[in-house]
Amino acid sequence: ATHSPILAETKPLAGIKNTASERTFIAVKPDGVQRGLVGKIVSRFEERGYKLVAIKAVVPSRALAEEHYADLRARPFFRGLVEYMTNGKAPVVAMVWEGKDVVRQGRAMIGATNPLESSPGSIRGQYCVSVGRNIIHGSDSFESATKEIQLWFGKPGEVIDWEPANWVWTMA
Ligand code: ADP
């Protein structure tokens, strides 16, 4: 009831398409955590103007990692990928970020899957060289984001809605 008209328009409507605001699932993979890149990655999303609505460090179960990467089950690297995500040598830092076009912008900020093809200014393009150690995950579509947020942050209250004071300047 206290929202300004602009804030009312940008009010998060998770699960609804074509609204000004949307959410995506971003995860720093264990290699990114080991390398101390969590802060830099969080900063990039903050500085772009996005809102952090959930964050936790977690060693995912095998079941969670397999479900997360279910589309890749038939690929030759699948076992290695699940092992890399779940072996506990470092946690995954799982996050939900919110804001205008954050699903597509998040993918653009992260860069191509294979660091050989990711542009030098992207996160992967700046920090990694190997497709098997590409430090970060980001949902590739609105549908994937919805599924992944539910998978990683499915308990009530895990995603926290709040109103950034600067959104009248960044998201209008
Ligand atoms: P993205 O993470 O960019 O959405 P994919 O969904 O195609 O890319 O792949 C998921 C993850 O699987 C990649 O980020 C990477 O960690 C791993 N992966 C993809 N291709 C290979 C590969 N050829 N060899 C090893 N790991 C791979």
Side-chain angles (χ1 to χ4, degrees):
T2 56
H3 308 316
S4 73
I6 292 168
L7 281 174
E9 281 168 24
T10 58
K11 192 98 182 79
L13 294 167
I16 298 172
K17 246 180 174 150
N18 299 324
T19 56
S21 193
E22 62 186 26
R23 289 173 174 172
T24 195
F25 175 72
I26 300 290
V28 184
K29 296 177 180 180
D31 50 331
V33 177
Q34 269 287 351
R35 292 176 54 195
L37 296 173
V38 175
K40 288 195 165 81
I41 289 167
V42 168
S43 286
R44 286 206 184 204
F45 282 85
E46 284 185 327
E47 289 172 2
R48 191 79 194 257
Y50 291 121
K51 168 170 69 163
L52 182 63
V53 293
I55 184 166
K56 64 180 171 187
V58 55
V59 177
S61 66
R62 180 161 292 268
L64 173 55
E66 287 181 355
E67 179 61 27
H68 175 78
Y69 282 125
D71 293 349
L72 301 173
R73 201 161 266 152
R75 305 295 286 276
F77 57 81
F78 182 74
R79 279 172 67 96
L81 175 59
V82 171
E83 159 65 17
Y84 149 58
M85 293 291 285
T86 61
N87 69 21
K89 290 180 179 167
V92 170
V93 173
M95 298 177 272
V96 180
W97 287 91
E98 180 179 318
K100 196 176 176 66
D101 300 320
V102 71
V103 177
R104 280 172 59 199
Q105 290 284 17
R107 291 289 290 189
M109 289 163 68
I110 287 169
T113 305
N114 186 342
L116 197 55
E117 281 143 28
S118 35
S119 63
S122 67
I123 293 167
R124 285 170 175 162
Q126 181 165 357
Y127 295 120
C128 50
V129 293
S130 173
V131 69
R133 295 290 182 269
N134 63 2
I135 74 164
I136 183 166
H137 167 84
S139 308
D140 65 4
S141 66
F142 187 90
E143 289 69 27
S144 300
T146 304
K147 180 194 141 189
E148 290 167 4
I149 291 166
Q150 177 58 32
L151 191 60
W152 291 79
F153 291 99
K155 295 196 199 103
E158 279 200 288
V159 179
I160 297 157
D161 194 17
W162 58 285
E163 285 176 11
N166 67 4
W167 269 27
V168 287
W169 303 105
T170 58
M171 297 286 162

